[in-house]
Amino acid sequence: MLASSTAELRSVAETFAENLGAITGSRPRIVSSKGTPTGGIILRLGDQKKGPESYRIDVDKSLVVTGTTAHGVFNATRTVLQWLQRSHRLPTGTALDWPVKQVRSLLIDNTPRHFSLQFWHNLFETMAWYKLNDTNLYVDGSGMDLDQARKIDALAAKYFIKVVPQLNMPAHMHVMLPAHPEFQLVNKDGSRNPVALDLTNPRAVDWALGLLPPWLGAFSADEWHLGSDEFPGWPGTGADHPQLDEYAKERFGAEATFADLFADFQNRANALVKKHGKKMRVWNDMIRQSKVVHLDTDISVEYWIEHDELPGLLTAQQIADRGHQLINCHVDRLYYDQSRRNLDPQDIWEKFQSDLLPFNTTVTPASAVRGARMAIWLAWINTPMESDAEVLHNIVAPMQSFSQ
């Protein structure tokens, strides 16, 4: 029974009724009502003072769900389903629940192969069960087009999962850039790098940024991911491309380096993203010491690695001190590499903490860490490609540990 007839709450009730039917064998009827009638399940809105996803469940003569937002109500329905899966008889009492971190994310690498819509549906349903609320979609992934992207985004919305679209640049441009050798970075030997953008070519930069607008309007999420890692490849020093340092000095003065040029590219992308009413994310490994240009502080940083081969890399604390929000993508705890490295649910349960970043570092204040993300990578060379079912099967147990 609905205590409120808002469209969003009605949608939550429809999904909940469908799930209840699957668990109990009887799909309840949905009606609208004012007041608190006796019996049945009542869904309603009410501020729980613990953030937008918070909720309260009261079990007495009726089961009353009160969520701060429709997302909070939806999260409560996942809890009720988990209870009913164990027993159809519930004890009386009150439960108040809310997430500690805003971002609880799972990245699926859809670049090397196509995933069916059924896979995405199953993934989102499973993520929602564990109250994960964020994923990504590589818009240049195998078989991806605007129509497919919109369908995936709509599926995710049903489960209150944000799909953050991503188009990697200026590196890892293995889909868009090979057809444009005139925009490819020139190597020392005169050859061209087919996956790295020539940041010394204004036409190349304009072309790359021009790829974003058609996709920026295709998703309901308020964020965009630029990637921006490993340029022009690991370890991202620019040592084999001295023209990057030379061009940086031409544009920004004698103290400028490749790091300033790279940050400027990211900031230009950020300005475009903000024009479309969205915020931006990037990976951390290319955020290096620079004297002239710093990364815009309204960009969130997915912090995945610290490494001796990354000279001038800013630490998580240095990035937080500049005012950035961080998302923990711990390479040693939260990375799954197809057929090479599986996630260890016990390791995640015993050792992972959302505020404990790579190299066991923490940042102050802890509120600088928005949350955490597991990364499921499927592009390893000479490894057998896993099926949709295998991918999902292999990550369910880690999701269980991660969500706690």
Side-chain angles (χ1 to χ4, degrees):
M1 175 176 290
L2 276 177
S4 171
S5 58
T6 65
E8 199 171 25
L9 209 54
R10 179 81 188 193
S11 176
V12 171
E14 292 285 357
T15 302
F16 187 33
E18 177 185 331
N19 301 148
L20 283 170
I23 287 178
T24 67
S26 176
R27 177 175 175 140
R29 185 168 56 95
I30 301 170
V31 298
S32 297
S33 174
K34 295 179 180 179
T36 309
T38 300
I41 298 173
I42 299 153
L43 308 182
R44 64 188 185 187
L45 298 173
D47 192 354
Q48 302 305 302
K49 313 293 186 186
K50 297 290 186 180
E53 294 184 56
S54 60
Y55 63 86
R56 173 187 174 114
I57 304 173
D58 293 289
V59 182
D60 197 355
K61 294 179 180 178
S62 300
L63 191 152
V64 181
V65 166
T66 310
T68 298
T69 63
H71 194 170
V73 173
F74 178 79
N75 283 352
T77 64
R78 303 305 93 185
T79 297
V80 173
L81 290 169
Q82 290 160 9
W83 290 348
L84 292 174
Q85 196 172 59
R86 294 171 63 91
S87 172
H88 291 183
R89 296 177 64 87
L90 302 180
T92 60
T94 296
L96 182 63
D97 188 25
W98 66 95
V100 175
K101 292 295 184 181
Q102 174 195 17
V103 176
R104 305 176 305 281
S105 186
L106 176 68
L107 176 155
I108 295 289
D109 178 15
N110 65 300
T111 53
R113 74 169 189 79
H114 179 73
F115 286 90
S116 67
L117 284 175
Q118 186 62 52
F119 168 83
W120 292 109
H121 177 272
N122 294 343
L123 175 70
F124 297 149
E125 189 172 49
T126 305
M127 288 176 64
W129 187 259
Y130 300 113
K131 300 184 178 72
L132 306 186
N133 66 351
D134 183 283
T135 190
N136 76 302
L137 191 71
Y138 287 98
V139 300
D140 60 347
S142 179
M144 190 58 57
D145 57 26
L146 281 168
D147 180 63
Q148 178 92 348
R150 290 188 178 104
K151 288 177 179 177
I152 292 170
D153 190 53
L155 278 174
K158 177 181 177 181
Y159 294 98
F160 288 84
I161 291 169
K162 177 194 289 188
V163 177
V164 179
Q166 181 167 341
L167 182 58
N168 286 332
M169 58 178 67
H172 294 301
M173 298 185 69
H174 60 281
V175 175
M176 305 292 192
L177 192 56
H180 294 275
E182 71 276 19
F183 298 147
Q184 295 169 8
L185 185 65
V186 179
N187 300 316
K188 267 186 176 180
D189 63 4
S191 63
R192 293 181 181 272
N193 187 327
V195 298
L197 187 70
D198 185 0
L199 295 183
T200 71
N201 182 346
R203 287 183 60 240
V205 171
D206 289 343
W207 167 80
L209 295 179
L211 298 172
L212 302 187
W215 293 101
L216 281 164
F219 292 85
S220 59
D222 60 354
E223 292 188 86
W224 174 271
H225 205 309
L226 193 69
S228 286
D229 59 324
E230 299 176 343
F231 178 83
W234 180 270
T237 63
D240 293 330
H241 301 86
Q243 71 268 35
L244 294 171
D245 266 348
E246 293 166 7
Y247 186 68
K249 295 182 191 309
E250 285 180 25
R251 286 198 57 200
F252 305 113
E255 290 191 314
T257 66
F258 159 50
D260 297 276
L261 181 64
F262 193 87
D264 176 71
F265 174 80
Q266 293 175 305
N267 291 345
R268 286 189 61 185
N270 187 41
L272 178 60
V273 168
K274 287 195 288 188
K275 277 187 179 180
H276 286 77
K278 299 179 186 290
K279 296 181 180 181
M280 200 168 83
R281 297 183 189 177
V282 298
W283 296 107
N284 80 288
D285 59 281
M286 292 301 300
I287 305 177
R288 311 293 175 90
Q289 296 287 351
S290 56
K291 293 185 177 181
V292 184
V293 183
H294 289 175
L295 186 69
D296 290 341
T297 56
D298 57 1
I299 297 173
S300 289
V301 176
E302 296 198 346
Y303 205 95
W304 69 283
I305 195 167
E306 289 186 17
H307 202 286
D308 293 340
E309 294 180 6
L310 304 175
L313 182 72
L314 265 62
T315 66
Q317 187 64 62
Q318 288 172 319
I319 292 172
D321 286 345
R322 286 185 175 183
H324 296 276
Q325 291 276 291
L326 296 150
I327 298 171
N328 187 350
C329 304
H330 200 306
V331 65
D332 294 321
R333 297 273 182 266
L334 301 178
Y335 266 42
Y336 172 99
D337 297 317
Q338 170 188 264
S339 302
R340 291 169 62 103
R341 173 174 59 176
N342 285 345
L343 291 161
D344 184 343
Q346 184 171 347
D347 183 70
I348 294 171
W349 178 264
E350 294 177 351
K351 298 177 182 178
F352 174 72
Q353 300 175 38
S354 58
D355 291 335
L356 195 62
L357 291 110
F359 277 67
N360 293 322
T361 57
T362 58
V363 298
T364 304
S367 59
V369 180
R370 292 176 62 192
R373 164 177 277 194
M374 290 200 307
I376 312 304
W377 299 112
L378 304 171
W380 285 97
I381 299 171
N382 298 324
T383 57
M385 191 64 72
E386 295 169 348
S387 69
D388 289 9
E390 286 174 317
V391 171
L392 190 56
H393 176 268
N394 289 340
I395 63 177
V396 168
M399 267 196 265
Q400 293 171 332
S401 297
F402 176 67
S403 67
Q404 300 303 314

